[in-house]
Each structure stands twice: as C-alpha cells, then as structure tokens.
C-alpha cells in the first residue's frame, strides 16, 4: 500500500454505514421538495416512501415501520407537530426516529419539535446531501430499532 493511500474500513463498518435495506418516509406537502429528497435518497440506496400530509404520514409509518421519518412540520390535514406527537405516543411507532425538516428557523421551533418527539431538526432550505448526512447521523445515533408489535 502506498503511504498516502487510505486503508479500507472493515466490511462490517462499511455495511453499517450503507443505506441498503433502510427505509425512509419523506413527508412534505410541497411536491417538488418531496420528490427531490425522495429521488436523492433512492439514488443513495434507501427505500423511500412519501406522504403529503400528517395524517398520511402517521398511516404510512404504522403500515411500513420506516427506519427514519423526514417530517415537514407545516402540513395540511394534520400538522407535522401533531403527527410526530401521535407517532411518539403510539407503542408501534414511538421508536422510529423523526427528523424535522422545516422552514421554522427560530430556536423555539427547535425546542418545540424536540418536545413533541423529534429526534433531530434541520432547517429548510437544506441541500439533499446535508439531509442524507443528517439521516446517517441519526441512524448511527439511534440504531435500527425493530418495530414494537
């Protein structure tokens, strides 16, 4: 090996960092944003489902038990705040990490998001690679928890 060449990490370290087999639920009422994040995450190897409102997000999460939920907080039908709170009080979905992705930029919004159960908070606009990095960090932090059934 050349002195400047980096060694490869062990196979199990690589596997734990890869998105293969990981499912992300992308929730945003703005179709362009939903599609942009979904397509980028699929390109990286994630399995992606989408929802356009909070009620749909709760239903999809209960049906498919994603590894992480990317949740806009300003949603029709049921807000992202309320959807997150419902998910975190339901035994079958409470262990799913929720990352708020929102235009709410004030510190009070971040605090409120954590109070309702968000595990991470990213403000819009956010580049897809930034969101993907935050998802990876959240998955490493929380691990992939099996659904409680």
């Amino acid at each position: 090996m050349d002195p400047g060449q980096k060694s490869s990490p062990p196979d199990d370290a690589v596997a734990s960092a890869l998105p293969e087999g990981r499912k992300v639920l992308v929730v945003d009422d703005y179709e362009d944003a939903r599609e942009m994040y979904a397509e980028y995450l699929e390109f990286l190897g994630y399995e992606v489902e989408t929802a356009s409102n909070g009620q749909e997000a709760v239903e999809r999460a209960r049906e498919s038990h994603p590894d992480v939920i990317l949740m806009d907080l300003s949603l029709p039908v049921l807000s992202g705040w309320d959807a997150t709170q419902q998910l975190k009080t339901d035994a079958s979905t409470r262990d799913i990490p929720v990352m708020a992705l929102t235009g709410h930029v004030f510190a009070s919004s971040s605090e409120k998001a954590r109070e309702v159960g968000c595990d991470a908070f990213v403000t819009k606009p956010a580049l897809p690679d930034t969101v993907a990095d935050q998802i990876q960090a959240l998955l490493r932090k929380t691990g992939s928890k099996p659904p409680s059934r």
Side-chain angles (χ1 to χ4, degrees):
M1 177 175 355
D2 293 336
Q5 187 178 6
K6 294 181 180 179
S7 62
S8 299
D11 289 338
D12 57 342
V14 172
S16 67
L18 294 176
E20 275 185 39
R22 301 288 187 131
K23 189 184 305 180
V24 179
L25 174 59
V26 177
V27 186
D28 200 305
D29 60 324
Y30 187 54
E31 185 177 0
D32 289 345
R34 194 172 57 244
E35 286 180 4
M36 175 185 64
Y37 293 120
E39 287 179 15
Y40 187 73
L41 293 169
E42 286 173 344
F43 170 76
L44 293 177
Y46 289 97
E47 181 181 332
V48 178
E49 287 194 34
T50 61
S52 59
N53 66 62
Q55 186 60 47
E56 189 179 359
V58 170
E59 291 167 6
R60 292 254 160 85
R62 287 178 177 156
E63 291 168 7
S64 67
H65 296 280
D67 292 288
V68 66
I69 300 170
L70 185 60
M71 179 79 73
D72 185 10
L73 296 176
S74 296
L75 295 169
V77 183
L78 182 67
S79 74
W81 310 97
D82 293 336
T84 299
Q85 195 163 33
Q86 280 188 24
L87 291 167
K88 291 300 186 170
T89 57
D90 182 329
S92 69
T93 56
R94 70 174 159 227
D95 291 333
I96 301 170
V98 176
M99 183 171 71
L101 179 64
T102 182
H104 296 277
V105 297
F106 298 108
S108 61
S109 297
S110 175
E111 291 168 19
K112 181 180 175 188
R114 293 204 189 280
E115 286 173 12
V116 299
C118 290
D119 300 281
F121 188 89
V122 176
T123 57
K124 289 181 188 176
L127 293 172
D129 60 339
T130 301
V131 171
D133 289 346
Q134 292 296 319
I135 288 172
Q136 281 288 20
L138 186 57
L139 287 171
R140 277 192 299 273
K141 178 181 168 187
T142 62
S144 181
K145 299 175 182 169
S148 308
R149 293 185 189 200

